[in-house]
Structure formats: structure tokens, C-alpha cells
């Protein structure tokens, strides 16, 4: 984190992305960048987020790692912010094994990234080069992306029809004017956090690629260490005067994240080419569990 202090802002319930209103309240003179994530390929409210950012003149680093090919009003995700980042690690829709891509239309940022890319001739850096071999894999992935995204969307629509009138299961979809790519299908289940953990482990044991959506990051042990790490913590440094001073991350009040990201939303990985009978099997098992 280069000694940056993350300030977590709550999400909004529909996209599970950064809430623009809460973002506005969290900005201080120390805010250096805003990092929204388009989680599971569902677009965050990126236009409003960018409006807030622009009004404060703060760059947006849009994490579109789950969302290559997704769009809002026909504009691709990853092109709204000052920078758009796309991880290409092995689980992503385009994978080069590991690595990633950064998009920007800001000339200065592009030059800086280029300078930092390879150890840094003029500026000290690390090795962020992509091999040609990885580049070729990425190009092939890009060619297949449209077809794969379409197949993932079809699988989500198929499941949606099955659960259409179920009172406790909802397949989530992007809002009108948005195109999502269903990196994973977000399935909202109206059960307790404890029951969802048991449900997921039973479905996983039957081989379904399902898990609970990422848990709130402020609860991660890195931000709540029991013992002080030798390298120190930037938010506890005496010179730090920002909004996280004297606050323990796990005590942050993020009610929407806590409601949805501790068990209520599950993510199902539907690989391209998944058959209707595979989806039927999953639906039958999920219905048997929830009914
Ligand atoms: C949304 C999101 N952003 C960033 C990353 C990190 O990407 P990488 O592992 O390529 O650094 C991941 C996971 O790999 C991710 O899911």
C-alpha cells in the first residue's frame, strides 16, 4: 500500500459497489484517490462516483478486474476513471496466468506508468513487465471475451427464470442501461449468516463452484493485527492525522457491507459453455436446501 491509509466506505445494496453518497461524506483534504470495484462484473454507480471525484479533483482508479466487457450506457467499465485496472490472474475472464493491464487516457499517467514498468530507468521501481508469451494469451482471451461474456449472461438469465418467483432466492442483475458480465452470478439468499456458511459448504462438497461473496475488507486481520507488526502501521504513525486516526478498522460502521457480504450474497462461477442440465442440477440442489 506504499504507506497509504485506506478509508473504507460502505457499499450500496444493488451493485455492492461503492456508495457515491457515502463517498462524498468520507472525502477529506488527505484523500489521494478513490478506488471503486465493479464486484463480480456488476457495474458500480460509476458515473455518480466520478462526479463526486471530479468535484473534489481526485483521481478515480477503477478496478474493473471482474468486469472486462461490462458497460454503463454503452461506455466500457475501466474507461470512466483516470485509470482502469484489470487483473489477468488465473481466475479472471481473460487470464495470462498472472499479471494485469492498466488503461488510461491521461498522457502524464501513461508516461509515469511506462517509466515504472521495468525497474525504472529514471525512477526507482520493480519489475512489472509482461512477457510476450503472456501477452499472446491475453490477446486470445480478448478475442474470446465477447462470446464468453454472452454465455455467462445466458447462464445467469437461465437461473433467473428458475428462481423468478422464489421468495428467498434472488438472482441479481445489473440495473437498466447497464451491461454486466457475470464474472460470477450473485445469488441473494434470505437466510442467516451461519446457515449460509453451512449451505455453501454442502453445495461445495457436491462440486459446485460457489462461495460467499468477499467479506468486508475492514475486517481483514491485516487491518486489525493482534500484535503490532515490526514494520508498523501507517494509520498509527504519530504524523498521521487522517480520519482513521484512533479508530480500529473492525469497529467501522458499514451496515450495508455487513448485511450483504457476510452470507446473504453467494457467488456462483458459471464457466462459459456450462450446460442447462448442469444449471438445472445446481438449481434443484439449491432449492432442496432452501425450501
Ligand atoms: C477485484 C479484484 N481486484 C484486484 C485483484 C488483484 O489482482 P492481481 O492478483 O492480479 O494483483 C483481484 C484478484 O485477483 C480482484 O478480484
Amino acid at each position: 500500500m506504499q504507506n497509504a491509509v485506506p478509508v473504507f466506505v460502505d457499499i450500496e445494496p444493488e451493485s455492492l459497489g461503492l456508495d457515491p453518497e457515502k463517498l462524498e461524506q468520507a472525502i477529506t483534504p488527505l484523500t489521494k484517490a478513490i478506488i471503486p470495484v465493479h464486484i463480480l462484473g456488476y457495474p458500480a454507480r460509476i458515473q455518480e462516483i466520478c462526479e463526486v471525484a471530479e468535484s473534489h479533483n481526485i483521481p478515480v482508479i477503477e478496478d474493473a478486474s471482474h468486469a472486462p466487457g461490462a458497460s454503463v450506457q454503452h461506455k466500457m467499465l475501466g474507461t470512466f476513471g483516470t485509470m482502469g485496472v484489470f487483473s489477468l490472474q488465473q481466475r479472471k475472464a481473460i487470464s495470462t496466468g498472472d499479471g494485469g493491464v492498466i488503461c488510461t487516457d491521461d498522457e502524464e499517467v501513461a508516461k509515469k506508468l511506462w517509466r515504472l514498468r521495468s525497474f525504472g530507468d529514471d525512477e526507482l521501481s520493480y519489475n512489472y513487465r509482461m512477457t510476450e508469451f503472456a501477452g499472446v494469451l491475453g490477446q486470445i482471451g480478448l478475442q474470446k471475451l465477447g462470446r464468453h461474456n454472452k454465455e455467462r449472461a445466458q447462464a445467469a438469465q437461465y437461473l433467473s427464470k428458475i428462481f423468478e418467483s422464489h421468495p428467498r432466492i434472488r438472482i441479481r442483475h445489473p440495473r437498466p442501461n447497464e451491461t454486466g458480465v457475470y464474472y460470477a452470478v450473485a445469488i441473494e439468499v434470505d437466510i442467516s449468516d451461519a446457515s449460509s456458511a453451512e449451505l455453501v459448504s454442502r453445495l461445495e462438497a457436491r462440486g459446485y463452484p460457489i462461495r460467499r461473496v468477499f467479506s468486508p475488507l475492514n475486517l481483514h486481520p491485516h487491518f486489525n493485527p493482534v500484535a503490532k507488526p515490526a514494520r508498523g502501521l501507517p494509520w498509527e504513525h504519530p504524523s498521521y492525522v487522517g480520519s482513521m486516526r484512533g479508530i480500529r478498522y473492525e469497529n467501522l460502521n458499514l451496515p450495508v457491507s455487513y448485511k450483504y457480504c457476510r452470507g446473504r450474497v453467494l457467488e456462483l462461477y458459471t464457466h462459459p459453455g456450462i450446460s442447462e442440465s448442469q444449471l438445472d442440477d445446481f438449481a434443484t440442489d439449491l432449492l432442496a436446501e432452501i425450501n
Side-chain angles (χ1 to χ4, degrees):
M1 289 295 293
Q2 310 291 340
N3 271 339
V5 175
V7 176
F8 295 108
V9 173
D10 208 359
I11 54 172
E12 51 86 25
E14 269 315 298
S15 67
L16 305 181
L18 184 59
D19 183 323
E21 279 101 56
K22 290 176 186 154
L23 165 66
E24 175 80 63
Q25 293 155 19
I27 289 175
T28 73
L30 291 181
T31 308
K32 294 279 187 266
I34 295 164
I35 312 180
V37 183
H38 301 292
I39 202 81
L40 306 185
Y42 293 69
R45 279 164 56 186
I46 192 67
Q47 287 166 311
E48 290 146 276
I49 291 169
C50 287
E51 277 165 26
V52 173
E54 267 164 40
S55 70
H56 293 271
N57 206 15
I58 299 170
V60 171
I61 302 170
E62 203 186 338
D63 186 343
S65 296
H66 292 182
S71 59
V72 171
Q73 291 186 336
H74 306 292
K75 184 171 159 67
M76 290 287 185
L77 300 187
T79 66
F80 284 87
T82 316
M83 277 178 261
V85 300
F86 296 85
S87 164
L88 304 180
Q89 57 89 250
Q90 39 90 21
R91 201 170 187 151
K92 300 294 179 275
I94 301 175
S95 174
T96 55
D98 226 324
V101 166
I102 306 175
C103 304
T104 185
D105 58 0
D106 183 315
E107 190 93 6
E108 221 176 290
V109 171
K111 280 187 184 146
K112 171 105 180 167
L113 290 170
W114 194 256
R115 283 203 301 274
L116 296 176
R117 184 179 151 268
S118 180
F119 295 130
D121 290 332
D122 304 323
E123 230 172 301
L124 194 58
S125 171
Y126 295 104
N127 173 10
Y128 298 111
R129 293 187 305 265
M130 180 182 273
T131 63
E132 287 172 7
F133 179 69
V136 170
L137 289 179
Q139 280 185 342
I140 295 168
L142 192 56
Q143 284 161 19
K144 293 180 176 174
L145 181 69
R147 175 165 57 85
H148 285 178
N149 280 346
K150 203 167 146 198
E151 287 175 20
R152 282 193 198 87
Q154 280 165 350
Q157 297 300 346
Y158 188 81
L159 287 174
S160 207
K161 278 212 182 83
I162 297 176
F163 296 116
E164 209 163 34
S165 52
H166 197 284
R168 293 167 69 209
I169 303 173
R170 174 165 85 104
I171 303 297
R172 282 169 165 257
H173 294 291
R175 287 169 278 245
N177 282 329
E178 295 179 348
T179 306
V181 287
Y182 304 94
Y183 169 71
V185 183
I187 305 177
E188 188 176 336
V189 285
D190 185 11
I191 55 176
S192 71
D193 293 354
S195 317
S196 86
E198 288 161 24
L199 167 70
V200 164
S201 66
R202 282 198 295 272
L203 290 171
E204 264 186 324
R206 279 178 230 154
Y208 297 116
I210 192 164
R211 62 182 195 184
R212 303 207 293 176
V213 84
F214 296 92
S215 62
L217 199 49
N218 67 302
L219 303 179
H220 192 282
H222 172 78
F223 298 110
N224 304 284
V226 180
K228 274 211 169 100
R231 69 193 183 311
L233 298 166
W235 52 91
E236 288 189 355
H237 194 272
S239 66
Y240 173 68
V241 292
S243 55
M244 284 310 298
R245 191 187 163 97
I247 296 177
R248 209 169 149 77
Y249 275 97
E250 64 190 355
N251 293 337
L252 289 175
N253 181 28
L254 304 168
V256 184
S257 303
Y258 295 161
K259 176 169 178 185
Y260 292 101
C261 303
R262 288 203 289 208
R264 207 183 162 107
V265 178
L266 312 178
E267 46 184 76
L268 175 74
Y269 289 86
T270 54
H271 59 87
I274 194 166
S275 68
E276 290 185 355
S277 79
Q278 285 173 310
L279 293 168
D280 286 336
D281 288 346
F282 168 75
T284 306
D285 283 349
L286 180 60
L287 283 168
E289 289 283 348
I290 300 264
N291 280 335

